[in-house]
Amino acid sequence: MATETIFSKIIAGEIPADIVYQDEHCVAIKDVAPKAPTHLLVIPRKVIPRLCDASEEDRALLGHLMLATGDIARQAGVEEAFRVIINNGAGVGQTVFHLHLHILAGKEFSEAQLGF
Ligand code: AMP
């Protein structure tokens, strides 16, 4: 049983957030502590703690998240240059254990620097 996180509370409307997109499978919000001028989080309604916890039954959902991410970047006007990051595990900085894709844009990202 997946544990409830701050993101499931946001999706349930129990905690406020700046929601920029939603559909039946996912919600996108502005990151509360942005690391770039545009910093959005694309969050599936289904609680999957980490990417590596996704299973075969999540195949269509994962595809949906990728397509939604492109749409959300387009809607935000950053489709020409944005970075998508998924942190999987505390060792690389995952702090909220509810799968989410970071969309980052609006600042210089060097080739070598994959983090944010
Ligand atoms: P990660 O480190 O990949 O788990 O990313 C979690 C992200 O969630 C961080 O960038 C936080 O700034 C962001 N965050 C945490 N709480 C909230 C919140 N209530 N509303 C919006 N973003 C949040």
Side-chain angles (χ1 to χ4, degrees):
M1 181 69 186
T3 316
E4 190 173 81
T5 67
I6 194 154
F7 290 165
S8 37
K9 290 179 183 162
I10 286 171
I11 289 168
E14 295 165 14
I15 290 179
D18 201 340
I19 295 173
V20 297
Y21 172 93
Q22 52 185 320
D23 64 31
E24 67 176 308
H25 298 299
C26 67
V27 172
I29 63 173
K30 290 188 180 174
D31 196 293
V32 76
K35 311 293 191 303
T38 297
H39 188 173
L40 306 174
L41 303 171
V42 185
I43 309 165
R45 292 183 186 276
K46 177 180 178 182
V47 182
I48 300 169
R50 303 169 302 172
L51 179 62
C52 68
D53 296 314
S55 62
E56 187 58 37
E57 70 178 31
D58 301 312
R59 181 178 292 275
L61 174 59
L62 295 179
H64 180 88
L65 291 172
M66 296 301 282
L67 289 174
T69 293
D71 288 343
I72 292 159
R74 206 171 294 115
Q75 180 187 297
V78 299
E79 71 273 22
E80 295 304 326
F82 68 98
R83 176 165 286 172
V84 177
I85 291 176
I86 297 173
N87 290 322
N88 184 106
V92 292
Q94 185 175 3
T95 57
V96 181
F97 286 82
H98 182 151
L99 176 66
H100 51 282
L101 292 77
H102 295 258
I103 297 175
L104 293 142
K107 73 169 194 180
E108 292 289 321
F109 294 101
S110 74
E111 285 296 314
Q113 184 217 334
L114 287 174
F116 57 90

